[in-house]
Amino acid sequence: MFDSQRIAELAAELQEAQTTRKQVEHFSKRFPGMTIEDGYRVSRAWVALQLAQGRQVIGHKIGLTSRAMQQASQIDEPDYGTLLDNMLYTCTPGQTLDIAYTDFVVPRVEVELAFVLKKDLQGPNVTVDEVLAATEYVTPAIEIIDSRIEQFDRHTKVMRKVFDTISDNAANAGIVVGAEKVDPLTTNLPWCGAILKLNGVVEETGLAAGVQGHPAVGIAWLANKLAPWGEHLKAGQIVLAGSFTKPVPAKVGDVFDADYGPLGRLQFKFN
């Protein structure tokens, strides 16, 4: 297990990587004995650095929700990270939101649903029904993921491990909202779907059922997973339930259009 000095050093590396937009090498390669708990401790330390600079927690994200991604990452459960206030972007219906590409290192775009809570959810025995009852509304969301730790090792081209992704705040970097808000108790959430276009071309389509069968499953999992850390999901927070499409890389000038049908659209451009 990492000691407090190493955790602080690695958190500082992540902060530097975000500031300079220069990726660091895999922690898991440099420290082969690294554990998942080490990853979460580094992530929490990095979030603490950002909070000390004035950032505020607005919620959480869940990642690696599909079975295929878990197998690729050699993990048998999702991972999670923290949403901060500077990560939030809000679209105006019918308009294209401008997002500064320089706010990111190598951004990629994922299609998700976001749960906005009206009640606290305290594990360890939270159920899907309790999640739905505690949710004020569900809304379409785009997660912008990023890599402060390089995705592929610059020397060996080996893909980073889950320990690296977890340390990197579960690759979290941004959230785009601004479409319709729906009642989770009267909406068939697994059948909510989206078409993601990049520069007018369909890149991805999917249904929210791709997130463990029902997007609320991950919210319950997260509430229970936070309990041993003495943490819980709080009323007013946003929780990203997990992507039901593959990530689509973005570059300067790219225009994205996520069409959720009756739930509205999210349109944005990286400038």
Side-chain angles (χ1 to χ4, degrees):
M1 181 178 292
F2 289 173
D3 60 27
S4 57
Q5 180 178 345
R6 178 167 292 168
I7 289 169
E9 290 171 349
L10 296 181
E13 284 191 31
L14 289 167
Q15 183 68 8
E16 178 73 8
Q18 178 167 276
T19 301
T20 63
R21 301 180 64 225
K22 295 181 179 179
Q23 295 174 305
V24 298
E25 295 190 62
H26 297 177
F27 295 166
S28 63
K29 183 180 78 170
R30 292 152 55 189
F31 307 104
M34 185 178 187
T35 67
I36 286 177
E37 183 176 347
D38 289 330
Y40 281 120
R41 292 172 70 205
V42 171
S43 177
R44 280 173 166 79
W46 182 30
V47 168
L49 285 178
Q50 296 174 80
L51 296 180
Q53 295 179 348
R55 299 274 64 89
Q56 295 183 349
V57 174
I58 61 169
H60 304 270
K61 64 81 56 99
I62 304 165
L64 300 178
T65 50
S66 74
R67 185 61 183 151
M69 287 300 294
Q70 290 177 15
Q71 289 175 333
S73 301
Q74 297 181 325
I75 189 173
D76 59 3
E77 64 179 14
D79 66 357
Y80 62 90
T82 303
L83 294 171
L84 302 174
D85 57 341
N86 62 321
M87 300 175 180
L88 183 63
Y89 300 86
T90 303
C91 287
T92 300
Q95 298 183 2
T96 300
L97 173 71
D98 289 326
I99 296 177
Y101 189 87
T102 51
D103 287 346
F104 308 93
V105 184
V106 282
R108 293 182 290 162
V109 168
E110 294 183 336
V111 171
E112 313 206 5
L113 292 178
F115 287 63
V116 178
L117 302 179
K118 60 184 178 182
K119 298 179 182 178
D120 289 4
L121 285 170
Q122 175 76 59
N125 299 306
V126 173
T127 66
V128 167
D129 286 343
E130 289 173 331
V131 169
L132 298 177
T135 300
E136 182 176 358
Y137 63 85
V138 174
T139 190
I142 291 293
E143 184 182 4
I144 303 172
I145 61 173
D146 207 353
S147 301
R148 278 70 52 161
I149 300 175
E150 55 196 13
Q151 188 176 10
F152 296 95
D153 181 80
R154 67 190 67 177
H155 305 294
T156 66
K157 308 306 177 186
V158 171
M159 185 175 179
R160 66 182 184 175
K161 292 182 169 58
V162 70
F163 317 111
D164 304 301
T165 308
I166 290 172
S167 297
D168 198 7
N169 197 18
N172 184 30
I175 171 177
V176 182
V177 296
E180 296 296 321
K181 302 173 182 179
V182 298
D183 184 344
L185 296 175
T186 60
T187 304
N188 192 343
L189 294 176
W191 282 95
C192 292
I195 303 166
L196 180 64
K197 292 182 181 179
L198 168 59
N199 300 325
V201 178
V202 175
E203 289 286 337
E204 288 289 330
T205 63
L207 289 174
V211 184
Q212 303 179 93
H214 192 296
V217 169
I219 312 297
W221 172 86
L222 178 57
N224 296 329
K225 202 69 178 177
L226 289 174
W229 295 87
E231 301 170 6
H232 66 279
L233 302 179
K234 299 178 181 179
Q237 289 187 336
I238 304 167
V239 187
L240 286 173
S243 178
F244 49 91
T245 63
K246 291 186 295 186
V248 178
K251 62 182 185 299
V252 175
D254 280 345
V255 178
F256 286 87
D257 178 357
D259 185 350
Y260 289 78
L263 272 65
R265 300 170 79 168
L266 299 170
Q267 297 168 288
F268 52 99
K269 179 180 181 181
F270 285 94
N271 290 320

